[in-house]
Amino acid sequence: MADVYRAYDPDIGRVVAIKALKAEYRSDSEFSARFVREARAAGALHHPNIATIFDVGEADGIPYIAMELVEGQPLDQVLQASGRIPCKRLLRLAIQLSDALAFAHAQGIVHRDVKPSNILLSGDGNTAKLLDFGVARIGSGGNDGSEERYLARTQAGQVIGTPRYMSPEQALGLAVDNRSDLFSLGAVLYEMTTGKTAFGSTGLATLAIQIAQERVAPIDQFTADCPKGVGQIIEKLLAKKPDQRFADGCQVSKALAHELSALSDEDTTSPKGLSISFKLPLALVSITLITLVFAISATLARQEKILEKMATTSGDMVAKFVSNNIAVMMADNAGLPPSEQDWSPLQAFVTTAALDEGVRGVVVSDASGIIRAATDRKLVGQQYTKPLDETVLSAEGGLSVTNASDANDLRFTRPIQYAGANFGSVDLLLPRDDLDAAMAKSHNDMMILASIIILVVWAISYLSGALVTRPLRRLMQSFDAAPKRDFAMRISHKRRDEFGILFDSFNRMTEAAEERINITPTVPQSMDATRVQIAPRKAA
């Protein structure tokens, strides 16, 4: 119908698209007037998913429309290249298109030519722009015969393009409203989902019959990854009777948004394809396991501190006993000249103490830090140096408890005091085998307890999942069987829970569907193919 040019507006420094009516249509003054009038009506549409019209007029006898230049590709070229569009992207684009139609319909404008070539996708493919509002809607709703004569005159011999996306009422030359656009949108979405046109006939008459009477091929025949909800929306859009479709674009947009939200929620949950009887135990066991890990870790850390406290208390008693027994000998020697000091009784005491399995080593040093007795006699006479790289467990009241460098012993260091005076220190190594054994036993007991809890939670959740999946499976089987039996079936049950309510809802649905099926519609015995209305082919 028009030639489209890329143009530049020097007054505002903007690149635009100029659509100029072709010469063969300019000769009809009535059509030229309609072209300008309808374009001006479409110019009132300001929506992010509708190509904006900036100016409408006539120059040198040529009607023109100056409109937004959308950088991107027409949807028909995208589909030709890719075959189909992924579900999430399709839903986002479909929501934009249904919002655009809802906005236009609210302004009293019916597009009447919704098709892939009239939809432009942005460069990133995530934004859709609907073109040519009002141009295809030649009449204002009433049909005085002039439009029918014009269509019959301009359609002869043209390649089928627009007719493939017509609604049944449009193809039969009946009055159309906004629901006609929704049917065309359904045909576009069907093609975006499957990569196939909804109606594939090549002749005008057979195509009109197919659109008016035949159901489209099931979507799952061409693709397996289309959610059932999306397929149902498309089927509802393609209903033959207008009153069986969505009432307006807002309803379509809400339904599509619900499906997109559900699809996004599925992406954030457990792996796809798993049944509830597996996903429920997996989720509960995972949560229980994480909780147990934190709880057991905290409990074991607390138990370790308690056991270490008990070990240090017990070791302190031993160190105090040793210190008290050698205090007199240390005090006696401290009051004598070095030449008269006798440390042999002290060494004998240390040697005897080391014979106890509960003592790994003893080092006794005097007030000047000289070792006077030790289980390792080579240390006697050397300067005592306490290891600095050991972990301190306790340090209070002069007692210092550390983990020995070999990590198998506890080192107790205690001052030797007598009559309130300090005469040296005792370094005592006690084994921590009992402490480690107690910790290991506590750890093993906790692991056994955690394993039992995990098994119990898994068993309970698995049984709970089975209690849910069984009625769901029954409901799904009923949904599959209902259409095959013309909805003459009901679910018998005695449940009083939520599934009972769900079964009752299914029974009410099938009852209503059966009543509608039993109402025999009045269908014409034949259709006059000459009544088919075909819109004139438009430029890209």
Side-chain angles (χ1 to χ4, degrees), residues 135-193:
V135 177
R137 186 178 177 273
I138 302 171
S140 59
N143 191 349
D144 59 0
S146 60
E147 181 178 347
E148 183 175 353
R149 289 192 301 272
Y150 175 80
L151 291 173
R153 184 171 69 253
T154 58
Q155 186 59 41
Q158 291 190 8
V159 178
I160 295 176
T162 300
R164 199 172 301 282
Y165 302 94
M166 282 183 174
S167 65
E169 57 270 26
Q170 189 176 0
L172 295 174
L174 305 176
V176 299
D177 57 17
N178 60 307
R179 293 171 295 182
S180 176
D181 282 348
L182 298 185
F183 183 94
S184 301
L185 176 63
V188 172
L189 296 184
Y190 182 94
E191 189 170 344
M192 293 170 69
T193 303

Side-chain angles (χ1 to χ4, degrees), residues 214-244:
E214 296 181 13
R215 292 175 60 90
V216 296
I219 291 177
D220 55 13
Q221 179 177 322
F222 304 105
T223 176
D225 61 353
C226 177
K228 295 292 184 181
V230 177
Q232 291 172 357
I233 292 174
I234 296 175
E235 289 179 3
K236 187 175 179 67
L237 288 170
L238 291 174
K240 302 302 181 183
K241 296 181 179 179
D243 58 359
Q244 293 177 350

